[in-house]
Amino acid sequence: MTVLSITKSDDIPLAPVYGKHTLVYWNSAGWSNPIRLALAVANVDFVDVRIEAGDPNDSASYKKAWLDAKQILDSSGVLEFPNLPYYMEGDSVKLVQSEAIFRHVGRQYNLLPTSMPEHRFEMLSEELKDYDGYFISQSYVGGPDVIAQFIKVGLPKKLAVWGRIANDGNALIDGPNAKINILDIKLYCFLRKVLFAQRELKTKPSEHEGWVDSYMKHVEAVPSVTAYLKSDFLYRPLNNPHAKFGTH
């Protein structure tokens, strides 16, 4: 894979970079780390375009590179609904919406769960999207106190259910000897955020989280995950510089 750090609107791609699958997002974990990790797990040689938001104290320039490029993507008809993240694959696949991109990658590279029917997978995927969406939005709107309340009060019982789904941490979601799937990837990326918040906010894990460390080790033991974590995985920042939490 290739990582490109972008600061100017002229460098934000209107077509796949180098003819490779191209993912475009901010230089943050945000909504895109599960997509990045899924592509890495699938051993796709993709281009990861990371846009620098700039200085939030300079209102004239903050996010300007993207805002200018967004107008071009719209007026040129490259994207029907210009937004971040967006994903381009050849001439025919041009997607926005993180969930649509994520599931496309899962379908194309045989990363969908095999241990459950499709309707259950879709429910669980949406459930994780809700958690992550709340974490992201409250990182911007609520700040540390709201995030702390979420991980101390709102999340523990939900994680207890996910512990059962994840075989109490004894295997990946599809079971012993199964390969990693995109639910594992999405759950893993969200748990990384939770653990980061616990460290930053000095919040102890609940009694419902005893499975988490073991489960994450199962994910990290997958060779393609191990390699990506050692190379271009974007650990931080979680969010853009104007957020109230997760900016470093």
Side-chain angles (χ1 to χ4, degrees), residues 2-228:
T2 303
V3 175
L4 298 180
S5 179
I6 301 296
T7 59
K8 299 185 297 183
S9 60
D10 290 347
D11 294 330
I12 296 176
L14 305 181
V17 179
Y18 312 135
K20 299 178 180 181
H21 299 357
T22 300
L23 177 68
V24 185
Y25 190 64
W26 300 109
N27 185 28
S28 66
W31 289 105
S32 282
N33 259 12
I35 304 170
R36 291 167 174 142
L37 183 54
L39 288 165
V41 165
N43 294 308
V44 177
D45 184 15
F46 73 104
V47 178
D48 184 1
V49 178
R50 302 175 181 179
I51 303 172
E52 299 287 350
D55 182 358
N57 297 312
D58 185 352
S59 59
S61 65
Y62 188 58
K63 293 187 175 182
K64 181 173 172 55
W66 163 243
L67 294 175
D68 288 349
K70 183 177 182 179
Q71 291 184 344
I72 297 170
L73 287 162
D74 188 18
S75 62
S76 65
V78 171
L79 296 176
E80 294 173 295
F81 305 102
N83 208 343
L84 292 174
Y86 69 91
Y87 177 76
M88 296 181 291
E89 183 182 298
D91 296 326
S92 59
V93 177
K94 297 175 182 178
L95 293 173
V96 297
Q97 296 295 339
S98 58
E99 190 71 8
I101 299 168
F102 188 62
R103 293 190 192 183
H104 168 75
V105 172
R107 286 191 299 270
Q108 185 171 26
Y109 295 105
N110 196 28
L111 294 175
L112 298 182
T114 59
S115 63
M116 63 186 71
E118 185 177 2
H119 64 267
R120 177 166 170 77
F121 154 65
E122 290 181 348
M123 177 190 74
L124 294 176
S125 185
E126 290 291 337
E127 186 75 10
L128 285 172
K129 181 183 176 183
D130 283 353
Y131 307 163
D132 202 20
Y134 185 82
F135 190 104
I136 292 170
S137 65
Q138 292 307 314
S139 293
Y140 288 92
V141 177
D145 290 344
V146 177
I147 296 295
Q149 183 74 0
F150 175 53
I151 62 177
K152 287 191 296 184
V153 179
L155 196 58
K157 288 186 178 180
K158 297 179 186 299
L159 288 182
V161 177
W162 278 98
R164 294 193 291 273
I165 294 168
N167 300 292
D168 296 321
N170 295 316
L172 297 173
I173 286 174
D174 274 340
N177 303 314
K179 71 175 188 176
I180 192 170
N181 66 59
I182 60 173
L183 271 185
D184 289 306
I185 291 168
K186 184 180 279 192
L187 178 59
Y188 174 79
C189 287
F190 177 67
L191 291 173
R192 287 198 66 94
K193 291 184 179 183
V194 172
L195 294 178
F196 171 81
Q198 289 173 340
R199 290 193 300 269
E200 289 290 302
L201 302 174
K202 297 179 173 56
T203 301
K204 293 182 179 179
S206 75
E207 61 184 6
H208 301 293
E209 297 173 47
W211 60 275
V212 169
D213 285 346
S214 176
Y215 172 75
M216 293 183 74
K217 287 177 182 177
H218 280 289
V219 175
E220 291 167 353
V222 175
S224 54
V225 175
T226 303
Y228 185 52

